[in-house]
């Protein structure tokens, strides 16, 4: 079983319910959610919006491959109402966003998936909830703890 860390975010609709619905689906379709951070209200990052975000991080135990996890997160996003992913650094409001942050200590660089997530350490809205559930986890690129 692999230990997978996911980042979740939403800034439209009933944000708490959006996150809860995503976690429920992740638990049903990807693997057992073994830890879930608190929900954090944050400002939009990378674009202007009048809608604040609600963010969280989850740890999931799965026997799926990284590409299978990615495919399922994209499907869950679509089924929960997300109409398009951000492309080329152009971000917009969204009902749900599920990012694959880390998959065990795997380092992967493909056209469709880069692990660990290349921007995660630059984003407080990812790192603050992640610290709550992954304080002792090491960055697979550096071998150092994420939070020292």
């Amino acid at each position: 079983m692999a230990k997978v860390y996911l980042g979740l975010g939403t800034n439209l609709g009933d944000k708490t319910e959006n996150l809860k619905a995503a976690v429920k689906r992740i638990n049903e379709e990807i693997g057992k959610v073994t830890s879930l951070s608190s929900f954090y209200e944050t400002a939009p990052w990378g674009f202007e919006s009048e809608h604040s975000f609600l963010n969280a991080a989850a740890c999931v135990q799965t026997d799926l491959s990284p590409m299978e996890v990615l495919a399922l997160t994209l499907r869950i996003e679509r089924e929960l109402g997300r109409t398009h992913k951000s492309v080329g650094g152009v971000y917009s409001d969204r009902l749900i966003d599920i990012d694959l942050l880390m998959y065990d200590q795997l380092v992967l660089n493909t056209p469709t998936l880069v692990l660990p997530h290349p921007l995660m350490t630059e984003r407080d809205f990812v790192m603050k909830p992640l610290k709550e559930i992954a304080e002792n986890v090491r960055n697979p690129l550096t071998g150092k703890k994420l939070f020292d």
Side-chain angles (χ1 to χ4, degrees):
M1 296 288 270
K3 188 179 281 191
V4 178
Y5 290 95
L6 302 173
L8 299 96
T10 175
N11 78 328
L12 295 174
D14 186 330
K15 296 178 238 185
T16 299
E17 287 305 313
N18 292 347
L19 291 182
K20 287 180 179 179
V23 170
K24 181 177 186 290
R25 295 286 300 278
I26 289 163
N27 199 59
E28 293 169 351
E29 299 179 37
I30 296 174
K32 180 177 174 56
V33 176
T34 58
S35 56
L36 177 65
S37 73
S38 302
F39 294 174
Y40 292 86
E41 187 169 357
T42 63
W45 186 92
F47 74 105
E48 299 282 329
S49 176
E50 62 187 45
H51 306 287
S52 65
F53 274 81
L54 202 59
N55 295 98
C59 180
V60 182
Q61 292 283 342
T62 187
D63 57 3
L64 301 175
S65 73
M67 298 311 281
E68 289 170 319
V69 172
L70 177 63
L72 286 170
T73 61
L74 293 172
R75 189 177 89 203
I76 291 167
E77 286 178 339
R78 281 191 312 274
E79 290 174 356
L80 293 179
R82 181 135 190 212
T83 55
H84 62 280
K85 288 292 277 186
S86 303
V87 178
V90 178
Y91 302 103
S92 62
D93 293 324
R94 63 209 71 158
L95 282 167
I96 193 67
D97 184 30
I98 307 169
D99 287 332
L100 181 46
L101 303 175
M102 293 183 8
Y103 183 102
D104 277 337
Q105 288 292 294
L106 181 67
V107 175
L108 184 68
N109 193 344
T110 74
T112 54
L113 181 60
V114 177
L115 292 171
H117 190 291
L119 298 176
M120 76 178 192
T121 59
E122 298 173 27
R123 297 173 168 176
D124 285 341
F125 66 86
V126 170
M127 297 306 282
K128 189 172 181 179
L130 189 59
K131 184 175 184 177
E132 212 181 294
I133 64 168
E135 189 169 2
N136 295 314
V137 171
R138 296 190 178 275
N139 184 326
L141 295 173
T142 65
K144 296 180 181 178
K145 282 184 167 183
L146 284 173
F147 305 100
D148 268 344

